[in-house]
mmCIF file with all atom_site columns, all heavy atoms in Angstrom:
data_model
loop_
_atom_site.group_PDB
_atom_site.id
_atom_site.type_symbol
_atom_site.label_atom_id
_atom_site.label_alt_id
_atom_site.label_comp_id
_atom_site.label_asym_id
_atom_site.label_entity_id
_atom_site.label_seq_id
_atom_site.pdbx_PDB_ins_code
_atom_site.Cartn_x
_atom_site.Cartn_y
_atom_site.Cartn_z
_atom_site.occupancy
_atom_site.B_iso_or_equiv
_atom_site.pdbx_formal_charge
_atom_site.auth_seq_id
_atom_site.auth_comp_id
_atom_site.auth_asym_id
_atom_site.auth_atom_id
_atom_site.pdbx_PDB_model_num
ATOM 1  N N   . THR A 1 15  ? 87.443  91.860  137.194 1.00 97.00 ? 15  THR A N   1
ATOM 2  C CA  . THR A 1 15  ? 87.018  91.507  138.499 1.00 97.00 ? 15  THR A CA  1
ATOM 3  C C   . THR A 1 15  ? 85.510  90.884  138.435 1.00 97.00 ? 15  THR A C   1
ATOM 4  O O   . THR A 1 15  ? 85.254  89.831  139.037 1.00 97.00 ? 15  THR A O   1
ATOM 5  C CB  . THR A 1 15  ? 86.955  92.704  139.484 1.00 97.00 ? 15  THR A CB  1
ATOM 6  O OG1 . THR A 1 15  ? 88.323  93.083  139.670 1.00 97.00 ? 15  THR A OG1 1
ATOM 7  C CG2 . THR A 1 15  ? 86.313  92.318  140.814 1.00 97.00 ? 15  THR A CG2 1
ATOM 8  N N   . VAL A 1 22  ? 79.667  88.133  135.983 1.00 97.00 ? 22  VAL A N   1
ATOM 9  C CA  . VAL A 1 22  ? 79.471  87.981  134.562 1.00 97.00 ? 22  VAL A CA  1
ATOM 10 C C   . VAL A 1 22  ? 79.699  86.514  134.291 1.00 97.00 ? 22  VAL A C   1
ATOM 11 O O   . VAL A 1 22  ? 80.758  85.978  134.571 1.00 97.00 ? 22  VAL A O   1
ATOM 12 C CB  . VAL A 1 22  ? 80.399  88.840  133.769 1.00 97.00 ? 22  VAL A CB  1
ATOM 13 C CG1 . VAL A 1 22  ? 80.294  88.520  132.240 1.00 97.00 ? 22  VAL A CG1 1
ATOM 14 C CG2 . VAL A 1 22  ? 80.138  90.306  133.986 1.00 97.00 ? 22  VAL A CG2 1
ATOM 15 N N   . ALA A 1 56  ? 101.054 88.841  127.321 1.00 96.00 ? 56  ALA A N   1
ATOM 16 C CA  . ALA A 1 56  ? 101.743 90.137  126.979 1.00 96.00 ? 56  ALA A CA  1
ATOM 17 C C   . ALA A 1 56  ? 101.828 90.323  125.511 1.00 96.00 ? 56  ALA A C   1
ATOM 18 O O   . ALA A 1 56  ? 102.079 89.388  124.817 1.00 96.00 ? 56  ALA A O   1
ATOM 19 C CB  . ALA A 1 56  ? 103.094 90.173  127.655 1.00 96.00 ? 56  ALA A CB  1
ATOM 20 N N   . GLU A 1 101 ? 123.324 105.952 127.941 1.00 98.00 ? 101 GLU A N   1
ATOM 21 C CA  . GLU A 1 101 ? 124.132 105.361 126.941 1.00 98.00 ? 101 GLU A CA  1
ATOM 22 C C   . GLU A 1 101 ? 125.498 105.072 127.535 1.00 98.00 ? 101 GLU A C   1
ATOM 23 O O   . GLU A 1 101 ? 126.102 105.886 128.254 1.00 98.00 ? 101 GLU A O   1
ATOM 24 C CB  . GLU A 1 101 ? 124.274 106.307 125.722 1.00 98.00 ? 101 GLU A CB  1
ATOM 25 C CG  . GLU A 1 101 ? 123.007 106.521 124.965 1.00 98.00 ? 101 GLU A CG  1
ATOM 26 C CD  . GLU A 1 101 ? 123.132 107.497 123.822 1.00 98.00 ? 101 GLU A CD  1
ATOM 27 O OE1 . GLU A 1 101 ? 124.286 107.980 123.542 1.00 98.00 ? 101 GLU A OE1 1
ATOM 28 O OE2 . GLU A 1 101 ? 122.124 107.756 123.175 1.00 98.00 ? 101 GLU A OE2 1
ATOM 29 N N   . LEU A 1 218 ? 90.411  76.137  119.515 1.00 97.00 ? 218 LEU A N   1
ATOM 30 C CA  . LEU A 1 218 ? 89.152  76.534  120.025 1.00 97.00 ? 218 LEU A CA  1
ATOM 31 C C   . LEU A 1 218 ? 88.441  77.530  119.125 1.00 97.00 ? 218 LEU A C   1
ATOM 32 O O   . LEU A 1 218 ? 87.255  77.370  118.908 1.00 97.00 ? 218 LEU A O   1
ATOM 33 C CB  . LEU A 1 218 ? 89.373  77.164  121.436 1.00 97.00 ? 218 LEU A CB  1
ATOM 34 C CG  . LEU A 1 218 ? 88.097  77.719  122.119 1.00 97.00 ? 218 LEU A CG  1
ATOM 35 C CD1 . LEU A 1 218 ? 87.150  76.613  122.567 1.00 97.00 ? 218 LEU A CD1 1
ATOM 36 C CD2 . LEU A 1 218 ? 88.488  78.565  123.348 1.00 97.00 ? 218 LEU A CD2 1
ATOM 37 N N   . ARG A 1 227 ? 83.206  83.882  120.799 1.00 98.00 ? 227 ARG A N   1
ATOM 38 C CA  . ARG A 1 227 ? 82.357  85.077  120.795 1.00 98.00 ? 227 ARG A CA  1
ATOM 39 C C   . ARG A 1 227 ? 81.754  85.304  122.158 1.00 98.00 ? 227 ARG A C   1
ATOM 40 O O   . ARG A 1 227 ? 81.593  86.421  122.641 1.00 98.00 ? 227 ARG A O   1
ATOM 41 C CB  . ARG A 1 227 ? 81.230  84.944  119.728 1.00 98.00 ? 227 ARG A CB  1
ATOM 42 C CG  . ARG A 1 227 ? 81.770  85.145  118.260 1.00 98.00 ? 227 ARG A CG  1
ATOM 43 C CD  . ARG A 1 227 ? 80.616  85.264  117.308 1.00 98.00 ? 227 ARG A CD  1
ATOM 44 N NE  . ARG A 1 227 ? 79.952  84.013  117.087 1.00 98.00 ? 227 ARG A NE  1
ATOM 45 C CZ  . ARG A 1 227 ? 80.294  83.124  116.102 1.00 98.00 ? 227 ARG A CZ  1
ATOM 46 N NH1 . ARG A 1 227 ? 81.275  83.406  115.248 1.00 98.00 ? 227 ARG A NH1 1
ATOM 47 N NH2 . ARG A 1 227 ? 79.611  82.009  115.922 1.00 98.00 ? 227 ARG A NH2 1
ATOM 48 N N   . LYS A 1 258 ? 96.569  100.940 115.607 1.00 98.00 ? 258 LYS A N   1
ATOM 49 C CA  . LYS A 1 258 ? 97.759  101.785 115.741 1.00 98.00 ? 258 LYS A CA  1
ATOM 50 C C   . LYS A 1 258 ? 98.659  101.387 116.909 1.00 98.00 ? 258 LYS A C   1
ATOM 51 O O   . LYS A 1 258 ? 99.869  101.311 116.753 1.00 98.00 ? 258 LYS A O   1
ATOM 52 C CB  . LYS A 1 258 ? 97.333  103.258 115.870 1.00 98.00 ? 258 LYS A CB  1
ATOM 53 C CG  . LYS A 1 258 ? 98.564  104.234 115.862 1.00 98.00 ? 258 LYS A CG  1
ATOM 54 C CD  . LYS A 1 258 ? 98.087  105.668 115.860 1.00 98.00 ? 258 LYS A CD  1
ATOM 55 C CE  . LYS A 1 258 ? 99.345  106.527 115.796 1.00 98.00 ? 258 LYS A CE  1
ATOM 56 N NZ  . LYS A 1 258 ? 98.951  107.998 115.837 1.00 98.00 ? 258 LYS A NZ  1
ATOM 57 N N   . ASP A 1 280 ? 97.124  91.995  111.338 1.00 98.00 ? 280 ASP A N   1
ATOM 58 C CA  . ASP A 1 280 ? 96.037  91.078  111.108 1.00 98.00 ? 280 ASP A CA  1
ATOM 59 C C   . ASP A 1 280 ? 96.478  89.622  111.327 1.00 98.00 ? 280 ASP A C   1
ATOM 60 O O   . ASP A 1 280 ? 95.612  88.764  111.528 1.00 98.00 ? 280 ASP A O   1
ATOM 61 C CB  . ASP A 1 280 ? 95.490  91.254  109.759 1.00 98.00 ? 280 ASP A CB  1
ATOM 62 C CG  . ASP A 1 280 ? 94.909  92.662  109.515 1.00 98.00 ? 280 ASP A CG  1
ATOM 63 O OD1 . ASP A 1 280 ? 93.770  92.878  109.971 1.00 98.00 ? 280 ASP A OD1 1
ATOM 64 O OD2 . ASP A 1 280 ? 95.530  93.536  108.926 1.00 98.00 ? 280 ASP A OD2 1
#
Side-chain angles (χ1 to χ4, degrees):
T15 295
V22 174
E101 293 179 3
L218 179 67
R227 287 190 287 267
K258 185 175 181 180
D280 297 283

